[in-house]
Amino acid sequence: MHALSAAGRALSIDEEAAGYLLAHPGIGRVHSVFDRVVNVISDKDRLIALCSAEMDDAPWSVRVDVEGWAEWRLAAGDRVRLSAAAIAFAGGSSRIVRIDGARKWYTKAIPVELGHGEPGRRAGALAAFLDVHGVDGGVRTSGAAATVFEAQIQEQLARGCAALVTAVRGEDGPAVVAAATSLLGLGPGLTPAGDDFLTGIALLAAQPHSTLSWINPLIGQALDDGPERTTPLSRATLRAALRGRARQGLLDLLRVLLDPAPVGDELLARQLRLHAGPVVGIGHTSGTDILSGLLAGFRLEEELRGFM
């Protein structure tokens, strides 16, 4: 029987992940394994995602020239050696991802500079897209839940999202913390629906000139006060969004929604189909839940700017 041999080369790496690996080489472990993503976690509790080539760049991720990870035969708990040159997995003769020479990926801020009435119009276009293409089961629901437990989760999600919007509308800081706390970890999966909703609204709030910027330190406070309420992957995703960082596809969509140049309704709808479609495909309901948070943020931008 031949010894297992697999190797890959990084195509791109997030700038912050690259800096971390340079400053903190060491031993970690595999956190979770999927068809297109392997999440590894360092001894300092930093999560880094290794993604197959067709996926987009994202915070704390490395895109690798592989189609999938099945041939690597990785399992949660496997030891990993992390360095700026490579990520090497134990247990095989040559399971290694070469990082040196990979292109650095950077995020860029997208200023909120929309004119009178535009946040509401962009929100309306996004709502229309979600009405047709949004996935039910997380923040969005239609019909009766399959189980009593699912019904309870749906009720808590609806209550938490509404409470957050009300708290932001009323500029009530303690209520924002309470609502964010109620949403953390709410829902199944590695990135629960409540966290995804927070990610969407936080990403918009993190952009320059957003009227929502004051809420992100409060969402961060809720996360700091109860990090155990959610998963390591969800914590990393939300912390990135609080700083305006997200996967490239989501940033491309946000750039369309925040483009201050005049755009007609038909062109805006086409752009949303092009850029929001892939976002909806994230996870089972995660993409829809993130977009639902983004939608709530745009509606609040409209209100708080006095456009309504």
Side-chain angles (χ1 to χ4, degrees), residues 163-176 214 300 303-304:
L164 181 65
V165 169
T166 299
V168 176
R169 184 180 289 131
E171 299 183 358
D172 186 340
V176 169
W214 62 276
L300 286 166
E303 293 186 44
L304 297 178

Side-chain angles (χ1 to χ4, degrees), residues 11-206:
L11 302 172
S12 57
I13 182 171
D14 172 44
E15 57 163 331
E16 293 193 1
Y20 175 85
L21 291 172
L22 180 63
H24 303 286
I27 300 298
R29 60 181 172 82
V30 174
H31 173 269
S32 48
V33 181
F34 302 94
D35 290 340
R36 298 187 299 166
V37 179
V38 174
N39 294 307
V40 301
I41 194 164
S42 74
D43 56 2
K44 298 183 183 299
D45 203 33
R46 176 62 72 176
L47 197 75
I48 299 175
L50 303 179
C51 308
S52 58
E54 75 274 16
M55 296 190 68
D56 49 351
D57 290 302
W60 291 91
S61 73
V62 184
R63 286 180 57 247
V64 186
D65 63 348
V66 298
E67 294 182 0
W69 298 99
E71 294 183 0
W72 291 59
R73 303 179 198 173
L74 302 172
D78 286 353
R79 283 167 58 86
V80 184
R81 181 173 295 279
L82 305 167
S83 73
I87 294 178
F89 298 92
S93 62
S94 181
R95 294 193 294 182
I96 185 170
V97 174
R98 302 293 311 182
I99 296 175
D100 49 332
R103 173 181 60 84
K104 298 290 195 308
W105 175 75
Y106 304 86
T107 54
K108 295 181 180 179
I110 309 167
V112 182
E113 297 176 340
L114 295 175
H116 177 75
E118 280 300 306
R121 192 171 75 89
R122 309 291 171 98
L126 181 55
F129 173 86
L130 285 173
D131 284 343
V132 176
H133 302 286
V135 180
D136 290 338
V139 172
R140 291 175 57 89
T141 58
S142 65
T147 67
V148 172
F149 176 73
E150 288 179 0
Q152 291 175 339
I153 294 296
Q154 289 177 2
E155 181 181 350
Q156 292 175 44
L157 282 168
R159 188 164 57 245
C161 293
L164 181 65
V165 169
T166 299
V168 176
R169 184 180 289 131
E171 299 183 358
D172 186 340
V176 169
V177 175
T181 300
S182 74
L183 287 169
L184 285 173
L186 189 55
L190 286 177
T191 58
D195 299 52
D196 289 329
F197 184 87
L198 290 171
T199 292
I201 195 170
L203 181 61
L204 177 60

